[in-house]
Amino acid sequence: MSDSLSSLIQAVDAADSAYALLKAVQNLADAKLEGAIPTLVASLSYNNPGAAVAAVEGLIELGEPAVAPLLEQLDGHNYTARAWAIRALAGIGDPRGLVTLLGVATADFSLSVRRAAAKGLGTMKWHWFPENLLEIAQEEALEALIFVARQDEEWVVRYSAIVGLQALAQAIAQTYPDWRSQILAQFEQIAEQDESDAVRARACWAQQQVQNAVPAPKVEDQPSPLSASDWQMILDKLYDRKGQERLVLAEGDPRRYRGLALSLSQNDENL
């Protein structure tokens, strides 16, 4: 550990006030050092929202190396820390967080966490996905986002789902044009029917943006840092989710879907 990193971590440990902790975590996050990840993750469990926000921003900047520690955080009993960890996972967009975000977006009791997860589902690192996994992953994201955009009780969550759907529509425009058309149809219905002025306006704007979008430039091929076992685990969880989802939807009760999603999220954390 470098002297600089050590001193930054010591400042976090020695903070004796809420403001001192906030500044220490902010300085640690600004350093953008992988060695800071354990301390930043630990900061999510402190009763200091400002420090947690700084830690989340720092973890998002660090990206993929922070994912495994964040997923471990989901196994704890501190809901506050778990909620902040989900926000970080949503911002990073790593495929290992996909199934967790699917469950959270459709079922978590915290509207701010559902909102973050919905946005994150639209901005996954889709270019990392292998071909045999991409279709089912994007289909699950599409179905979850449409469900949230139409069914969530909170307008801010529905708004965020529209943001996610817009990003997803742009990602699938070339590969799955029928899904893009489905998203546009959803935007049109929401723009006409949603009770919130803000949601209706956002749906209208998203519809215009998707209709007028030029083909997105191809993302440069980047080797995925995920291993074959990582991808197999993601695939197994998605197939398991899909199979259980069909059983529930066959009963015709969308509330049961939400309960299923919560169960799947909890199961995902215990694996």
Side-chain angles (χ1 to χ4, degrees):
M1 182 183 298
S2 68
D3 291 342
S4 174
L5 176 58
S6 178
S7 64
L8 290 168
I9 292 174
Q10 288 175 6
V12 174
D13 294 337
D16 57 2
S17 69
Y19 180 74
L21 181 60
L22 167 59
K23 294 302 294 182
V25 173
Q26 183 67 69
N27 290 337
L28 182 61
D30 289 345
K32 300 180 181 180
L33 299 171
E34 287 190 25
I37 289 174
T39 304
L40 292 174
V41 171
S43 300
L44 303 178
S45 62
Y46 302 154
N47 187 24
N48 188 316
V53 168
V56 167
E57 291 175 351
L59 290 164
I60 291 173
E61 283 290 324
L62 288 165
E64 182 272 330
V67 172
L70 284 168
L71 290 173
E72 291 175 6
Q73 186 72 45
L74 300 182
D75 293 329
H77 298 291
N78 185 327
Y79 179 79
T80 298
R82 179 179 178 275
W84 288 115
I86 289 168
R87 289 183 178 93
L89 287 171
I92 293 170
D94 188 285
R96 286 169 291 179
L98 174 62
V99 175
T100 295
L101 295 181
L102 287 167
V104 169
T106 54
D108 200 273
F109 68 83
S110 169
L111 70 89
S112 63
V113 177
R114 296 200 306 276
R115 179 178 61 185
K119 182 178 179 182
L121 283 175
T123 55
M124 278 273 128
K125 290 184 169 67
W126 298 119
H127 57 286
W128 279 7
F129 280 75
E131 186 175 348
N132 68 328
L133 183 52
L134 182 61
E135 181 177 1
I136 185 174
Q138 290 183 327
E139 183 179 24
E140 282 292 294
L142 173 64
E143 292 178 358
L145 285 170
I146 289 175
F147 175 83
V148 175
R150 300 306 301 267
Q151 301 291 334
D152 200 280
E153 299 91 342
E154 302 291 344
W155 74 265
V156 292
V157 182
R158 300 196 303 275
Y159 187 105
S160 188
I162 293 169
V163 175
L165 280 170
Q166 180 183 338
L168 181 61
Q170 292 168 340
I172 64 176
Q174 302 299 314
T175 51
Y176 301 111
D178 290 346
W179 291 355
R180 174 182 177 274
S181 298
Q182 183 180 354
I183 292 173
L184 286 170
Q186 291 293 328
F187 287 159
E188 184 173 359
Q189 292 179 26
I190 293 169
E192 294 175 351
Q193 299 172 3
D194 198 275
E195 64 184 21
S196 164
D197 291 342
V199 172
R200 292 198 304 272
R202 188 61 179 82
C204 184
W205 190 80
Q207 182 183 25
Q208 294 171 358
Q209 292 299 304
V210 172
Q211 287 174 332
N212 298 329
V214 297
K218 187 178 185 302
V219 177
E220 290 185 13
D221 290 335
Q222 300 174 356
S224 166
L226 275 63
S227 66
S229 60
D230 288 329
W231 290 118
Q232 187 60 52
M233 178 184 67
I234 295 168
L235 181 60
D236 290 345
K237 290 179 180 179
L238 283 169
Y239 274 127
D240 181 61
R241 175 186 172 86
K242 193 67 174 177
Q244 294 186 53
E245 177 186 318
R246 286 196 183 100
L247 291 176
V248 171
L249 290 177
E251 298 180 14
D253 186 347
R255 292 171 298 179
R256 296 286 302 272
Y257 176 88
R258 185 168 235 179
L260 169 67
L262 178 58
S263 173
L264 287 169
S265 177
Q266 292 170 340
N267 290 340
D268 176 49
E269 294 165 18
N270 292 328
L271 289 177

